[in-house]
Amino acid sequence: MAIRYKVTLAYDGTAFAGFQVQPHQRTVQGVLERAVNHLNKSSDYVHVFGSGRTDAGVHAVGQVIHFDLVNDIPDQGIINGLNSLLPLDIEIKMAEHVTADFHAQFTAHGKRYVYRVSQTKAVNPFKRFYTGHYKYPLEVNLIKTALKDVVGTHDFSSFVASGSQTKSHIRTIYTATVKELPQEKELVFEFYGNGFLYNQVRIMVAALLEIGSKRRPVHDFLRLYQVKDRNECRGTAPASGLYLKEVVYQPDK
Amino acid sequence: MAIRYKVTLAYDGTAFAGFQVQPHQRTVQGVLERAVNHLNKSSDYVHVFGSGRTDAGVHAVGQVIHFDLVNDIPDQGIINGLNSLLPLDIEIKMAEHVTADFHAQFTAHGKRYVYRVSQTKAVNPFKRFYTGHYKYPLEVNLIKTALKDVVGTHDFSSFVASGSQTKSHIRTIYTATVKELPQEKELVFEFYGNGFLYNQVRIMVAALLEIGSKRRPVHDFLRLYQVKDRNECRGTAPASGLYLKEVVYQPDK
């Protein structure tokens, strides 16, 4: 009888070709599967299931995976064992024994994403892989007004990249906030929703920055929900600013 | 008549083989010279002089260079011009016209270095190139006591890497501090002195961390000044934690 483990991890997405396994590419899932299979006592190949993909260059501070092993390893042993096998751009933060009905993707209630925008004129060398960059002046109050239109259940067809294979583009965003960090010269967005389409957060952030710099009307999201046309939202904020912060499994948490 | 420019810059040292030009290597000086020569109207090759070298992986937030151009370019034009020519891991922060007696290295009065130590158990993926890492518990008060022995004029022969070509190992350290950042789980050292030997800061930090974790007596620096033996100080803290913060030219500043 296999034992299912839920594991929470962080990774610097810079040197990965995204989460999902791809032939001849260094991916988070591929690197994790190699390490997890070292821990397994059976010769069967162990697959690692993530809460969802992240693109090349996108980071995670709270990605969740699950996998099954034939052997029972204490939670701290999973953490130490995997951290000693993994490269330094992945860090295992938590491990838990879970029942077989837990699934990292299908039992998730929601996800929390953060997007960091650096607002300096020139790119800060230490942030080039860890933030987006926007050099035009922003009126943050306009962005805050627009974020009220983001919250709720909407058809996000205008905000989905062309590679998406999802049928329904209706998603619910529970909270959407922005805060200014004047010392760091950063603007930090946070979105919490029941799920996000391919590139949705990055496309929304690009549109929100255009609203903040008055390149787009403040309530343009209401129009964009109606037109359902990706061409109305050309920009996509860079992968470097995006962090999968948390996957939530208990709605009451 | 050539015009001398003093330029202050930051760089992420991760992808550079150090500051100084080396054949077939990507160095800060080499990348800067290519950009600076684009700005020069004469066909003579323009050399860039730094305040001193930094090793591979060592960062700078306030490195200073000087160079001479035949043409007079406004300070802001130097900043914008170089930033548009340089890769994103170098950022020009300031430019000034200076007189011909200014020399980035020889007229410097002192240098300020910062060393960041990450104190988490596992390496934080986002800090692996930007901090040193020490997982043992530290008594910071012991380090603070030891730092009082660091301040002053001493023979730092025990703290110099074998590659050094300097004759005198006597240097003066004006201030040496450490602060704890509990939220970031970091310990941040700052050293201000009239000059530093090859690897001196990194060797001192390694010894200070050994003092903080009781692997070395608290006043061991007094003994190390006497024995003048690098073998008594085996450790060298990693390059990733070291930042050249400031080069000071006016002693009263």
Side-chain angles (χ1 to χ4, degrees), chain B residues 112-125:
Chain B
R112 201 180 293 277
Y113 277 100
V114 161
Y115 195 96
R116 289 171 58 188
V117 181
S118 175
Q119 291 192 274
T120 46
K121 205 180 159 217
V123 172
N124 178 330

Side-chain angles (χ1 to χ4, degrees), chain A residues 87-150:
Chain A
L88 292 181
D89 46 357
I90 303 185
E91 180 196 355
I92 303 298
K93 297 175 87 89
M94 217 160 46
E96 299 162 69
H97 285 60
V98 288
T99 51
D101 57 355
F102 175 86
H103 189 290
Q105 183 178 1
F106 301 129
T107 62
H109 168 75
K111 281 186 186 171
R112 202 180 294 276
Y113 277 98
V114 161
Y115 195 96
R116 289 171 59 188
V117 180
S118 175
Q119 292 192 271
T120 46
K121 204 180 159 217
V123 172
N124 177 329
F126 298 100
K127 294 187 175 180
R128 68 198 196 284
F129 296 134
Y130 304 108
T131 61
H133 182 249
Y134 201 72
K135 64 180 172 181
Y136 303 107
L138 288 169
E139 284 196 21
V140 178
N141 280 333
L142 293 176
I143 297 177
K144 285 183 177 165
T145 302
L147 283 171
K148 291 180 190 153
D149 298 338
V150 171

